[in-house]
Amino acid sequence: MKKTFTPRDIRSLDSVKDLVYTNAERFGDKSLYIYIENKEQLTYSYNEHKDVFNAFGTALFELGLNEKKISLCSDQHPHWVASFLSVIAAGGVIVPLDRELLPEQLAGFINITESEAVILSTRELKLLSSCLKDLHTVKHIIIIGPYDIPEDINDERLVQFSSLVEKGKALIEEGDTRFLDYQRNNTDLACILFTSGTTGTSKGVMLSEYNLMFSVVQCSRMVDIGDNDTFVSVLPIHHTFALTTNHLAMSYIGGTTFMNDSLKHTFKNITETKPTCLILVPLFLETMDKKIWEGIRKQNKEKQVRRLMTMSNGMRHAGIDMRKTLFEKILNSFGGNLNQIVVGGAPLDPEIIRDFDAFGVTVVEGYGITECCPLISVNPHDWRKFGSAGIVAVGLEAKISEPNEAGEGEILVRGGNVFMGYYKNEEATKDAITEDGWFRTGDIGYLDKDNFVYITGRKKNVIIASNGKNVYPEELEEYLNKCEIIKEAVVIGRNSDDGVVITALIYPDKDVCGDINDNELYEKIFSEINLINKGLPTFKHITAIEIRDREFEKTTTRKIKRFLLK
Amino acid sequence: MYEEFRQLLIEKLEIEPDLIKPEAQLANDLGINSLELADLVLYCEDKYDIEIDDDALQGFITVNDVVEYLSGIIPEKE
């Protein structure tokens, strides 16, 4: 009999209000989040979330910030999620920003979106302090988390999130129903997500409330998680993979999430909080796998463990699953309850999936893209195909454009989670979405007879780092081209055994360099690149340089022929 | 401090001793990813009873960057 996949039967959602209110009704005082603030562990229930959501939404009306654009940048915090949802429910547009951006980049995004308020934590406020005077459209700067403002930041626009929540609660008690009664059109613009670091090279992905809620339900239906599941959220919250799956879909199924307070504490928090499920990018699994094997090798037990894995796999074929007992020690290093890891963002070595599977943790690999909010496909937990990015998600159609003889071509998708277009960039939107609504993913691949997606290449220049983040070569080239000694630069990702190496191909400006030998030239360029790297998050660091002695080959419109560079 | 950090890299991350030099890049030359670096930093915090700001991690590109940072912060505690 032909195998089929039946998505779980879960009610659809109309709006973020529907999500928050339904969740509070179903899960009430259960913990939605556990988080650390001022070194203290705090809990935040589904009911509290609804109250904060309503109160902050009401305060937005009071401040005249309903139906306005508002930027949001902080580390993960329950109030990050509440403000994200309240701004949308108040008819506005939320602009989540990457906290690893440089101050001038953050200010650039706040300005080009004409945000009328920004929601920041104290850390981001300090980071932005030198640019505050340049935020001309911003009327309010709202601080979430601990309010620890240095004396030299004296800006009258500053207001504490918690005081706005108190204000909103008081207004609701007095009968203010402006937010509670407000209904927005769920197909209007609700969220803008920028794809890279600078305003010059980044594209703003426009999502509607409908896109977001469609995606929440889609994730909940495709992945086998339930209200007994507990999570540790470690991915950046502005990342659509983390936002939709680890925060919004997780809440829709009634889970509880521990918010990781620092990259440094990731493994400690996982061990101590004993999650049942993790939502990760390959970098984490690669590191976890490496740590497991290092530990095994230190005890001279590699042969023994490999034998046990073979034996256990054989027993499973006979219907006997002893993994929890045989690999208890390994599983305990992740808390002991972990049974599933959902991974996406970049390709993962199938060997690692097999390792985790043998130890007793199911790795569910998926494929997504910000423009799809992000889910395109996922391997169902009971029907996984190694090497595939999974079956096309429910509610989404996929097809291959102009397939070659092997059936490979660009992957096109259409459905409720496909974005509205790029912010103020009609040309890019036209290129990305066909007239009949198909989104060109830029990824090359094929579909098998069961509608599983296989990715074999990439049409766009984007480099996918193993932490799942996209590195746009154009952004790095922008920095390189500002260096006097560089005449032309192209950035590419080269595959190596350790993953993708971000490589700068440099054509130096010989007039500026003067009479120096090759070693001196290399040292000079190397030190310029080190300076650039210091201002960038680690995943964007240029780690290899190749110097060439002639300029790059160009098209008739003077564009570098990138496809010639490998 | 350099020698101590070098030993840490060898023992904790099993880095080939010959590869470790002050100017070696953590990611490119030694293959250390951001998560491993964060884990190592946590180990240093416990070992030296110091606190290293998350934001400082971004500036750690070479072995020397970490050594200089640690050398700068440890005497302050003593």
Side-chain angles (χ1 to χ4, degrees), chain B residues 8-63:
Chain B
L8 259 185
L9 292 173
I10 296 168
E11 283 161 25
K12 290 277 295 172
L13 298 178
E14 297 183 344
I15 306 286
E16 199 63 49
D18 292 350
L19 295 175
I20 308 171
K21 295 180 179 88
E23 66 280 9
Q25 294 202 0
L26 299 167
N28 194 32
D29 300 328
L30 308 183
I32 300 171
N33 69 36
S34 55
L35 206 53
E36 289 170 322
L37 181 62
D39 210 27
L40 199 66
V41 161
L42 180 68
Y43 181 83
C44 291
E45 286 188 341
D46 290 342
K47 183 175 160 102
Y48 302 114
D49 190 24
I50 51 172
E51 203 161 325
I52 301 173
D53 196 87
D54 279 11
D55 291 339
L57 264 70
Q58 201 168 302
F60 295 159
I61 293 171
T62 63
V63 170

Short mmCIF file of all heavy atoms in Angstrom, two decimals, chain B residues 8-63:
data_model
loop_
_atom_site.label_atom_id
_atom_site.label_comp_id
_atom_site.label_asym_id
_atom_site.label_seq_id
_atom_site.Cartn_x
_atom_site.Cartn_y
_atom_site.Cartn_z
N LEU B 8 44.03 24.80 27.18
CA LEU B 8 42.56 24.66 27.18
C LEU B 8 42.07 24.20 25.81
O LEU B 8 41.21 23.32 25.71
CB LEU B 8 41.93 26.02 27.46
CG LEU B 8 41.43 26.30 28.87
CD1 LEU B 8 40.75 27.66 28.90
CD2 LEU B 8 40.44 25.22 29.26
N LEU B 9 42.61 24.84 24.76
CA LEU B 9 42.21 24.48 23.40
C LEU B 9 42.55 23.03 23.09
O LEU B 9 41.77 22.32 22.45
CB LEU B 9 42.88 25.41 22.37
CG LEU B 9 42.45 26.87 22.39
CD1 LEU B 9 43.31 27.70 21.46
CD2 LEU B 9 40.98 27.01 21.96
N ILE B 10 43.69 22.60 23.59
CA ILE B 10 44.11 21.21 23.32
C ILE B 10 43.23 20.24 24.11
O ILE B 10 42.72 19.26 23.57
CB ILE B 10 45.60 21.02 23.70
CG1 ILE B 10 46.48 21.91 22.81
CG2 ILE B 10 46.03 19.56 23.59
CD1 ILE B 10 47.93 22.04 23.26
N GLU B 11 43.02 20.54 25.37
CA GLU B 11 42.30 19.59 26.23
C GLU B 11 40.78 19.60 25.99
O GLU B 11 40.16 18.56 25.89
CB GLU B 11 42.57 19.90 27.70
CG GLU B 11 43.94 19.41 28.15
CD GLU B 11 44.40 20.10 29.41
OE1 GLU B 11 43.54 20.57 30.19
OE2 GLU B 11 45.63 20.18 29.62
N LYS B 12 40.21 20.80 25.91
CA LYS B 12 38.74 20.87 25.81
C LYS B 12 38.24 20.62 24.38
O LYS B 12 37.20 20.04 24.18
CB LYS B 12 38.24 22.25 26.27
CG LYS B 12 38.38 22.51 27.76
CD LYS B 12 37.24 21.93 28.57
CE LYS B 12 35.92 22.58 28.27
NZ LYS B 12 34.81 21.89 28.92
N LEU B 13 38.96 21.17 23.41
CA LEU B 13 38.45 21.07 22.03
C LEU B 13 39.28 20.16 21.14
O LEU B 13 39.02 20.04 19.95
CB LEU B 13 38.34 22.47 21.40
CG LEU B 13 37.37 23.44 22.09
CD1 LEU B 13 37.39 24.78 21.40
CD2 LEU B 13 35.95 22.89 22.08
N GLU B 14 40.27 19.53 21.74
CA GLU B 14 41.13 18.59 21.01
C GLU B 14 41.74 19.21 19.75
O GLU B 14 41.75 18.60 18.69
CB GLU B 14 40.37 17.30 20.67
CG GLU B 14 39.93 16.55 21.91
CD GLU B 14 39.24 15.23 21.61
OE1 GLU B 14 38.83 15.03 20.46
OE2 GLU B 14 39.12 14.42 22.53
N ILE B 15 42.19 20.45 19.88
CA ILE B 15 42.83 21.13 18.73
C ILE B 15 44.27 20.62 18.62
O ILE B 15 44.97 20.47 19.62
CB ILE B 15 42.83 22.67 18.93
CG1 ILE B 15 41.42 23.19 19.22
CG2 ILE B 15 43.49 23.39 17.75
CD1 ILE B 15 40.48 23.25 18.09
N GLU B 16 44.67 20.38 17.40
CA GLU B 16 46.04 19.93 17.11
C GLU B 16 47.04 20.98 17.63
O GLU B 16 47.00 22.13 17.19
CB GLU B 16 46.14 19.81 15.58
CG GLU B 16 47.26 18.97 15.04
CD GLU B 16 47.15 17.52 15.45
OE1 GLU B 16 46.06 16.92 15.30
OE2 GLU B 16 48.16 17.02 15.91
N PRO B 17 47.95 20.62 18.58
CA PRO B 17 48.84 21.62 19.18
C PRO B 17 49.63 22.46 18.18
O PRO B 17 49.81 23.66 18.37
CB PRO B 17 49.79 20.78 20.05
CG PRO B 17 49.03 19.53 20.34
CD PRO B 17 48.15 19.28 19.17
N ASP B 18 50.07 21.80 17.08
CA ASP B 18 50.89 22.54 16.10
C ASP B 18 50.14 23.69 15.43
O ASP B 18 50.75 24.63 14.92
CB ASP B 18 51.37 21.58 15.00
CG ASP B 18 52.36 20.58 15.54
OD1 ASP B 18 52.78 20.77 16.70
OD2 ASP B 18 52.68 19.62 14.82
N LEU B 19 48.83 23.59 15.41
CA LEU B 19 48.05 24.63 14.72
C LEU B 19 47.90 25.89 15.58
O LEU B 19 47.60 26.96 15.08
CB LEU B 19 46.64 24.11 14.39
CG LEU B 19 46.52 22.95 13.40
CD1 LEU B 19 45.08 22.49 13.30
CD2 LEU B 19 47.03 23.40 12.04
N ILE B 20 48.07 25.73 16.89
CA ILE B 20 47.78 26.86 17.79
C ILE B 20 48.96 27.83 17.84
O ILE B 20 50.05 27.49 18.27
CB ILE B 20 47.43 26.36 19.22
CG1 ILE B 20 46.33 25.30 19.13
CG2 ILE B 20 47.00 27.52 20.11
CD1 ILE B 20 46.05 24.58 20.44
N LYS B 21 48.66 29.03 17.37
CA LYS B 21 49.64 30.12 17.39
C LYS B 21 48.89 31.37 17.78
O LYS B 21 47.66 31.42 17.59
CB LYS B 21 50.21 30.32 15.97
CG LYS B 21 51.01 29.14 15.47
CD LYS B 21 51.55 29.41 14.08
CE LYS B 21 52.35 28.24 13.60
NZ LYS B 21 51.61 27.21 12.92
N PRO B 22 49.57 32.38 18.31
CA PRO B 22 48.83 33.60 18.74
C PRO B 22 47.98 34.19 17.63
O PRO B 22 46.87 34.66 17.86
CB PRO B 22 49.94 34.56 19.16
CG PRO B 22 51.11 33.70 19.49
CD PRO B 22 51.01 32.48 18.62
N GLU B 23 48.50 34.16 16.39
CA GLU B 23 47.77 34.82 15.30
C GLU B 23 46.77 33.88 14.61
O GLU B 23 46.07 34.27 13.68
CB GLU B 23 48.74 35.43 14.28
CG GLU B 23 49.59 34.45 13.48
CD GLU B 23 50.81 33.91 14.25
OE1 GLU B 23 50.92 34.15 15.46
OE2 GLU B 23 51.64 33.22 13.62
N ALA B 24 46.67 32.63 15.06
CA ALA B 24 45.74 31.68 14.42
C ALA B 24 44.30 32.14 14.61
O ALA B 24 43.91 32.55 15.71
CB ALA B 24 45.93 30.29 15.02
N GLN B 25 43.53 32.06 13.53
CA GLN B 25 42.12 32.47 13.63
C GLN B 25 41.31 31.30 14.20
O GLN B 25 41.45 30.16 13.75
CB GLN B 25 41.58 32.85 12.25
CG GLN B 25 42.25 34.09 11.70
CD GLN B 25 41.42 34.78 10.64
OE1 GLN B 25 40.33 34.34 10.31
NE2 GLN B 25 41.93 35.88 10.13
N LEU B 26 40.46 31.63 15.16
CA LEU B 26 39.72 30.59 15.87
C LEU B 26 38.84 29.79 14.90
O LEU B 26 38.82 28.56 14.95
CB LEU B 26 38.84 31.22 16.96
CG LEU B 26 39.62 31.99 18.04
CD1 LEU B 26 38.67 32.84 18.87
CD2 LEU B 26 40.39 31.03 18.94
N ALA B 27 38.13 30.50 14.03
CA ALA B 27 37.20 29.80 13.14
C ALA B 27 37.93 29.18 11.96
O ALA B 27 37.82 27.98 11.71
CB ALA B 27 36.14 30.77 12.65
N ASN B 28 38.71 29.99 11.29
CA ASN B 28 39.29 29.52 10.03
C ASN B 28 40.45 28.55 10.23
O ASN B 28 40.51 27.52 9.58
CB ASN B 28 39.75 30.74 9.23
CG ASN B 28 40.06 30.36 7.80
OD1 ASN B 28 39.44 29.47 7.25
ND2 ASN B 28 41.02 31.02 7.22
N ASP B 29 41.36 28.87 11.15
CA ASP B 29 42.55 28.04 11.30
C ASP B 29 42.33 26.86 12.26
O ASP B 29 42.92 25.82 12.10
CB ASP B 29 43.73 28.88 11.79
CG ASP B 29 44.07 29.99 10.81
OD1 ASP B 29 43.87 29.76 9.60
OD2 ASP B 29 44.49 31.07 11.24
N LEU B 30 41.49 27.09 13.28
CA LEU B 30 41.34 26.03 14.29
C LEU B 30 39.98 25.33 14.21
O LEU B 30 39.74 24.38 14.94
CB LEU B 30 41.53 26.62 15.70
CG LEU B 30 42.82 27.43 15.93
CD1 LEU B 30 42.93 27.90 17.36
CD2 LEU B 30 44.05 26.59 15.57
N GLY B 31 39.10 25.82 13.36
CA GLY B 31 37.79 25.17 13.15
C GLY B 31 36.86 25.26 14.35
O GLY B 31 36.01 24.39 14.56
N ILE B 32 36.99 26.32 15.16
CA ILE B 32 36.14 26.46 16.34
C ILE B 32 34.89 27.26 15.94
O ILE B 32 35.01 28.37 15.41
CB ILE B 32 36.89 27.21 17.48
CG1 ILE B 32 38.15 26.41 17.85
CG2 ILE B 32 36.01 27.45 18.69
CD1 ILE B 32 39.07 27.14 18.80
N ASN B 33 33.70 26.73 16.20
CA ASN B 33 32.50 27.49 15.86
C ASN B 33 32.04 28.35 17.05
O ASN B 33 32.57 28.23 18.16
CB ASN B 33 31.39 26.58 15.32
CG ASN B 33 30.80 25.67 16.38
OD1 ASN B 33 30.65 26.05 17.54
ND2 ASN B 33 30.45 24.46 15.98
N SER B 34 31.05 29.21 16.81
CA SER B 34 30.64 30.18 17.83
C SER B 34 30.13 29.51 19.10
O SER B 34 30.32 30.00 20.21
CB SER B 34 29.58 31.12 17.26
OG SER B 34 28.50 30.36 16.75
N LEU B 35 29.50 28.36 18.93
CA LEU B 35 28.94 27.65 20.08
C LEU B 35 30.05 27.03 20.93
O LEU B 35 30.01 27.08 22.16
CB LEU B 35 28.02 26.54 19.54
CG LEU B 35 26.89 26.09 20.43
CD1 LEU B 35 26.05 27.24 20.91
CD2 LEU B 35 26.02 25.09 19.66
N GLU B 36 31.07 26.49 20.26
CA GLU B 36 32.22 25.93 20.98
C GLU B 36 32.97 27.05 21.71
O GLU B 36 33.41 26.86 22.85
CB GLU B 36 33.16 25.22 20.01
CG GLU B 36 32.59 23.92 19.47
CD GLU B 36 33.41 23.34 18.34
OE1 GLU B 36 33.91 24.12 17.49
OE2 GLU B 36 33.53 22.13 18.28
N LEU B 37 33.06 28.19 21.04
CA LEU B 37 33.74 29.32 21.67
C LEU B 37 32.97 29.77 22.90
O LEU B 37 33.55 30.04 23.96
CB LEU B 37 33.88 30.47 20.66
CG LEU B 37 34.59 31.72 21.15
CD1 LEU B 37 36.03 31.42 21.54
CD2 LEU B 37 34.59 32.81 20.08
N ALA B 38 31.64 29.83 22.78
CA ALA B 38 30.80 30.24 23.91
C ALA B 38 30.96 29.26 25.08
O ALA B 38 31.04 29.65 26.24
CB ALA B 38 29.34 30.31 23.48
N ASP B 39 31.06 27.99 24.75
CA ASP B 39 31.23 26.95 25.76
C ASP B 39 32.59 27.10 26.46
O ASP B 39 32.69 26.96 27.68
CB ASP B 39 31.14 25.59 25.05
CG ASP B 39 30.59 24.50 25.96
OD1 ASP B 39 29.83 24.85 26.87
OD2 ASP B 39 30.94 23.33 25.75
N LEU B 40 33.59 27.41 25.67
CA LEU B 40 34.94 27.61 26.20
C LEU B 40 34.99 28.84 27.12
O LEU B 40 35.62 28.83 28.17
CB LEU B 40 35.90 27.79 25.03
CG LEU B 40 37.37 27.58 25.29
CD1 LEU B 40 37.65 26.12 25.64
CD2 LEU B 40 38.19 27.95 24.05
N VAL B 41 34.28 29.87 26.68
CA VAL B 41 34.22 31.10 27.47
C VAL B 41 33.55 30.82 28.82
O VAL B 41 34.00 31.29 29.87
CB VAL B 41 33.47 32.20 26.67
CG1 VAL B 41 32.98 33.31 27.57
CG2 VAL B 41 34.37 32.77 25.59
N LEU B 42 32.51 30.02 28.79
CA LEU B 42 31.83 29.66 30.05
C LEU B 42 32.80 28.91 30.97
O LEU B 42 32.84 29.16 32.18
CB LEU B 42 30.60 28.79 29.75
CG LEU B 42 29.80 28.34 30.97
CD1 LEU B 42 29.12 29.52 31.63
CD2 LEU B 42 28.76 27.29 30.59
N TYR B 43 33.59 28.04 30.38
CA TYR B 43 34.58 27.28 31.16
C TYR B 43 35.60 28.26 31.79
O TYR B 43 35.94 28.13 32.97
CB TYR B 43 35.28 26.28 30.24
CG TYR B 43 36.29 25.42 30.95
CD1 TYR B 43 35.90 24.29 31.66
CD2 TYR B 43 37.65 25.77 30.95
CE1 TYR B 43 36.82 23.52 32.33
CE2 TYR B 43 38.59 25.01 31.63
CZ TYR B 43 38.17 23.87 32.32
OH TYR B 43 39.08 23.13 32.99
N CYS B 44 36.04 29.25 31.00
CA CYS B 44 36.99 30.25 31.51
C CYS B 44 36.36 31.06 32.65
O CYS B 44 37.03 31.39 33.63
CB CYS B 44 37.43 31.21 30.40
SG CYS B 44 38.46 30.44 29.17
N GLU B 45 35.08 31.39 32.49
CA GLU B 45 34.39 32.14 33.55
C GLU B 45 34.45 31.39 34.87
O GLU B 45 34.72 31.96 35.92
CB GLU B 45 32.91 32.37 33.16
CG GLU B 45 32.72 33.42 32.09
CD GLU B 45 31.25 33.76 31.85
OE1 GLU B 45 30.36 32.97 32.22
OE2 GLU B 45 31.00 34.82 31.28
N ASP B 46 34.17 30.08 34.80
CA ASP B 46 34.18 29.27 36.02
C ASP B 46 35.60 29.12 36.57
O ASP B 46 35.83 29.25 37.76
CB ASP B 46 33.60 27.87 35.73
CG ASP B 46 32.10 27.94 35.47
OD1 ASP B 46 31.49 28.97 35.83
OD2 ASP B 46 31.54 26.99 34.89
N LYS B 47 36.53 28.87 35.66
CA LYS B 47 37.92 28.61 36.08
C LYS B 47 38.55 29.85 36.74
O LYS B 47 39.22 29.73 37.75
CB LYS B 47 38.72 28.17 34.85
CG LYS B 47 40.16 27.80 35.14
CD LYS B 47 40.81 27.27 33.86
CE LYS B 47 42.30 27.35 33.95
NZ LYS B 47 43.06 26.26 34.21
N TYR B 48 38.32 31.01 36.14
CA TYR B 48 38.99 32.22 36.64
C TYR B 48 38.07 33.11 37.49
O TYR B 48 38.46 34.19 37.89
CB TYR B 48 39.56 33.04 35.48
CG TYR B 48 40.53 32.28 34.62
CD1 TYR B 48 40.23 31.97 33.30
CD2 TYR B 48 41.75 31.87 35.13
CE1 TYR B 48 41.13 31.26 32.50
CE2 TYR B 48 42.65 31.15 34.35
CZ TYR B 48 42.33 30.85 33.03
OH TYR B 48 43.21 30.15 32.26
N ASP B 49 36.86 32.64 37.70
CA ASP B 49 35.87 33.41 38.46
C ASP B 49 35.71 34.83 37.89
O ASP B 49 35.89 35.83 38.58
CB ASP B 49 36.27 33.45 39.94
CG ASP B 49 35.14 34.02 40.79
OD1 ASP B 49 33.99 33.93 40.35
OD2 ASP B 49 35.42 34.56 41.88
N ILE B 50 35.44 34.87 36.61
CA ILE B 50 35.25 36.16 35.94
C ILE B 50 33.92 36.11 35.18
O ILE B 50 33.31 35.03 35.06
CB ILE B 50 36.37 36.46 34.91
CG1 ILE B 50 36.55 35.25 33.96
CG2 ILE B 50 37.68 36.80 35.62
CD1 ILE B 50 37.47 35.51 32.80
N GLU B 51 33.48 37.27 34.68
CA GLU B 51 32.30 37.26 33.83
C GLU B 51 32.67 37.90 32.49
O GLU B 51 33.22 39.00 32.46
CB GLU B 51 31.16 38.03 34.49
CG GLU B 51 29.84 37.59 33.94
CD GLU B 51 28.67 37.95 34.84
OE1 GLU B 51 28.81 37.92 36.07
OE2 GLU B 51 27.63 38.26 34.27
N ILE B 52 32.42 37.17 31.43
CA ILE B 52 32.75 37.70 30.10
C ILE B 52 31.45 38.04 29.39
O ILE B 52 30.57 37.20 29.24
CB ILE B 52 33.56 36.66 29.28
CG1 ILE B 52 34.85 36.30 30.03
CG2 ILE B 52 33.87 37.17 27.89
CD1 ILE B 52 35.65 35.16 29.42
N ASP B 53 31.37 39.29 28.97
CA ASP B 53 30.16 39.78 28.32
C ASP B 53 29.92 39.02 27.00
O ASP B 53 30.87 38.78 26.26
CB ASP B 53 30.35 41.27 28.04
CG ASP B 53 29.05 41.94 27.73
OD1 ASP B 53 28.41 42.37 28.67
OD2 ASP B 53 28.69 41.98 26.53
N ASP B 54 28.65 38.66 26.75
CA ASP B 54 28.32 37.96 25.50
C ASP B 54 28.82 38.74 24.27
O ASP B 54 29.27 38.15 23.29
CB ASP B 54 26.80 37.80 25.36
CG ASP B 54 26.31 36.61 26.17
OD1 ASP B 54 27.11 36.08 26.97
OD2 ASP B 54 25.14 36.23 26.01
N ASP B 55 28.72 40.06 24.35
CA ASP B 55 29.11 40.88 23.19
C ASP B 55 30.60 40.79 22.89
O ASP B 55 31.02 41.03 21.76
CB ASP B 55 28.72 42.34 23.42
CG ASP B 55 27.21 42.51 23.40
OD1 ASP B 55 26.53 41.63 22.83
OD2 ASP B 55 26.71 43.50 23.95
N ALA B 56 31.41 40.45 23.92
CA ALA B 56 32.86 40.37 23.72
C ALA B 56 33.21 39.23 22.77
O ALA B 56 34.21 39.29 22.06
CB ALA B 56 33.57 40.17 25.05
N LEU B 57 32.37 38.20 22.74
CA LEU B 57 32.64 37.02 21.91
C LEU B 57 32.84 37.39 20.44
O LEU B 57 33.62 36.78 19.73
CB LEU B 57 31.48 36.02 22.01
CG LEU B 57 31.63 34.89 23.02
CD1 LEU B 57 31.55 35.38 24.44
CD2 LEU B 57 30.55 33.85 22.78
N GLN B 58 32.08 38.40 20.02
CA GLN B 58 32.13 38.83 18.63
C GLN B 58 33.51 39.32 18.23
O GLN B 58 33.91 39.20 17.07
CB GLN B 58 31.11 39.94 18.42
CG GLN B 58 30.70 40.12 16.98
CD GLN B 58 29.49 41.01 16.87
OE1 GLN B 58 28.44 40.72 17.43
NE2 GLN B 58 29.63 42.10 16.15
N GLY B 59 34.25 39.87 19.20
CA GLY B 59 35.58 40.42 18.90
C GLY B 59 36.68 39.38 18.95
O GLY B 59 37.83 39.68 18.66
N PHE B 60 36.35 38.15 19.33
CA PHE B 60 37.38 37.11 19.42
C PHE B 60 37.57 36.44 18.06
O PHE B 60 36.86 35.53 17.69
CB PHE B 60 36.98 36.03 20.44
CG PHE B 60 36.89 36.51 21.86
CD1 PHE B 60 36.16 35.81 22.81
CD2 PHE B 60 37.56 37.66 22.27
CE1 PHE B 60 36.08 36.25 24.13
CE2 PHE B 60 37.49 38.11 23.59
CZ PHE B 60 36.74 37.40 24.52
N ILE B 61 38.56 36.92 17.34
CA ILE B 61 38.81 36.35 16.02
C ILE B 61 40.05 35.46 16.05
O ILE B 61 40.06 34.38 15.49
CB ILE B 61 38.95 37.47 14.97
CG1 ILE B 61 37.57 38.15 14.82
CG2 ILE B 61 39.40 36.93 13.61
CD1 ILE B 61 37.56 39.37 14.00
N THR B 62 41.10 35.93 16.73
CA THR B 62 42.33 35.14 16.81
C THR B 62 42.54 34.64 18.24
O THR B 62 41.89 35.13 19.18
CB THR B 62 43.55 35.98 16.40
OG1 THR B 62 43.66 37.06 17.34
CG2 THR B 62 43.42 36.54 15.01
N VAL B 63 43.48 33.72 18.41
CA VAL B 63 43.84 33.22 19.74
C VAL B 63 44.27 34.40 20.60
O VAL B 63 43.89 34.54 21.77
CB VAL B 63 44.98 32.17 19.61
CG1 VAL B 63 45.55 31.82 20.97
CG2 VAL B 63 44.46 30.93 18.90
#
